Amino acid sequence: MDLLQNLFNEVYHTLTNFQSRLAVFYLLLTILIVAVLWVIRGRPTSFVAYLLPKEVYRHKSNIVDIKIFFFNAVLGGAGVFAAVTMTPLMTSFVLDHLLQMTGRSMAPVDDSWARLALATLIMILTLDFCKYWAHRLHHETTILWPFHALHHSAEVMTPLTANRNHPVFLILRQLIYTVIVGAVQALMLFLLMGKIETLTIGTVNAGYFLFNAFGSNLRHSHVWLSYGPVLEHILISPAQHHIHHSIERKHYNKNYGEVFAIWDLIFGTLYVLKGYEKLSFGLSDQNGERIEQPYPNLRSALLHPFADSWHALKKGTRWELKSKDLAERQSAS
């Protein structure tokens, strides 16, 4: 009963917490955006078929998404992920030591709106910069990639695909955020504010509220939404994230960014769309050759990344699952 209660609480929190993309409020806004696009695009099908196509939502890949979501919800309800969510503590720890080393007061030098706006902007950019590198690190580090490959193995995408993550990936990502984001946030606040202002944190959360409200769920969906070539040099559109999930060779390891495209632009990983592109999702090698689905069920999704990571460590190269390997794995199962 405790397990079921924890699961219920975690799912309820996911659907009601404004920091979750799957909050009902954001899902309703997503439906509204899709309705507008449906009208603009000439109502090609019934709205229900446009919003919830059977070939997407009944796909085996989506069924695995659902199972992973509930499995991680059980772990979340048990406090597994909360145990490594220590970014605020790291920020406070580093900030306190900076203040002690310099003898500065905890009081802010200046709490004007201009300084608050600057602090908010820098914090949002800092968070996004760290998310870019945490994401890229999982793609380009041989032993980490298998735990993130589960997310990229999705052959169709729905808003729930954003939660198609291995528990190890979630823990490692949170630990990276704790160290890097916590330390850099503390440095930025030390230089600009002198302390963590509740109002500053609130405005940062407001920024992510806008990000979630205006189409973040379309990043993992069948609905194409591009911002155009000019704006896509600044912000990552849902269509650009579709490119990140594409198996095409020209899309390989492109568009790591979450909110801002500037990091991809600076570090040479930006792919800007010139128009609509028909895409196929899933895993591929760097030559664009599709890798057959290695995670057809929950068991393989949870267990096989450990073996894949170990093989990558022994070989010292990026893990790529070939058809022969898959056949051996399936026969062993």
Side-chain angles (χ1 to χ4, degrees), residues 5-282:
Q5 184 63 46
N6 288 338
L7 175 60
F8 174 82
N9 291 340
E10 188 69 16
V11 172
Y12 178 79
H13 180 74
T14 299
L15 296 176
T16 57
N17 180 12
F18 281 102
Q19 293 184 5
S20 165
R21 290 185 194 176
L22 294 178
V24 172
F25 178 78
Y26 298 136
L27 292 175
L28 291 175
L29 285 179
T30 300
I31 293 172
L32 179 60
I33 293 171
V34 173
V36 171
L37 294 174
W38 174 67
V39 172
I40 292 174
R41 292 167 183 173
R43 306 185 183 190
T45 63
S46 71
F47 179 65
V48 173
Y50 189 79
L51 177 68
L52 303 170
K54 293 179 181 179
E55 64 271 19
V56 171
Y57 283 85
R58 292 184 181 179
H59 197 284
K60 291 181 179 179
S61 177
N62 184 49
I63 303 304
V64 174
D65 285 0
I66 295 170
K67 292 178 180 179
I68 293 172
F69 169 78
F70 281 108
F71 182 84
N72 284 334
V74 170
L75 295 183
V80 172
F81 303 125
V84 295
T85 305
M86 299 177 288
T87 302
L89 293 177
M90 175 63 74
T91 299
S92 296
F93 174 80
V94 175
L95 184 57
D96 286 345
H97 278 71
L98 288 171
L99 291 168
Q100 290 174 13
M101 289 169 57
T102 59
R104 279 178 53 176
S105 169
M106 285 295 290
V109 177
D110 177 12
D111 58 358
S112 66
W113 282 103
R115 185 174 290 272
L116 172 64
L118 181 60
T120 301
L121 176 61
I122 290 181
M123 282 184 64
I124 290 176
L125 288 172
T126 299
L127 285 167
D128 203 58
F129 175 81
C130 293
K131 288 180 178 182
Y132 170 89
W133 278 107
H135 188 184
R136 184 168 178 175
L137 187 66
H138 277 89
H139 272 262
E140 300 182 11
T141 304
T142 56
I143 62 174
L144 296 182
W145 165 243
F147 296 107
H148 186 48
L150 171 61
H151 178 69
H152 278 270
S153 68
E155 296 166 294
V156 296
M157 292 202 295
T158 75
L160 207 59
T161 306
N163 296 73
R164 183 191 176 103
N165 292 307
H166 196 281
V168 170
F169 167 79
L170 294 175
I171 291 171
L172 290 175
R173 183 179 65 177
Q174 195 56 51
L175 289 173
I176 292 171
Y177 286 175
T178 292
V179 175
I180 301 178
V181 176
V184 176
Q185 265 190 175
L187 180 60
M188 292 298 99
L189 289 167
F190 171 76
L191 295 174
L192 284 167
M193 299 294 289
K195 69 175 182 178
I196 302 176
E197 290 284 349
T198 302
L199 189 56
T200 304
I201 301 299
T203 51
V204 171
N205 288 338
Y208 278 95
F209 170 84
L210 293 175
F211 169 71
N212 287 330
F214 292 100
S216 69
N217 277 316
L218 295 182
R219 292 160 57 89
H220 297 93
S221 76
H222 61 285
V223 179
W224 177 272
L225 177 59
S226 170
Y227 295 159
V230 175
L231 194 55
E232 286 183 349
H233 281 84
I234 303 170
L235 299 172
I236 293 289
S237 71
Q240 280 178 295
H241 194 70
H242 289 186
I243 292 296
H244 179 69
H245 277 266
S246 168
I247 66 172
E248 293 289 332
R249 180 178 180 179
K250 62 182 179 179
H251 302 149
Y252 187 75
N253 283 357
K254 296 295 184 181
N255 297 347
Y256 290 115
E258 180 168 350
V259 178
F260 296 102
I262 54 177
W263 315 122
D264 285 292
L265 179 63
I266 292 170
F267 298 110
T269 55
L270 182 65
Y271 185 96
V272 176
L273 294 151
K274 296 179 180 178
Y276 173 76
E277 296 187 28
K278 186 175 178 59
L279 305 175
S280 293
F281 302 133

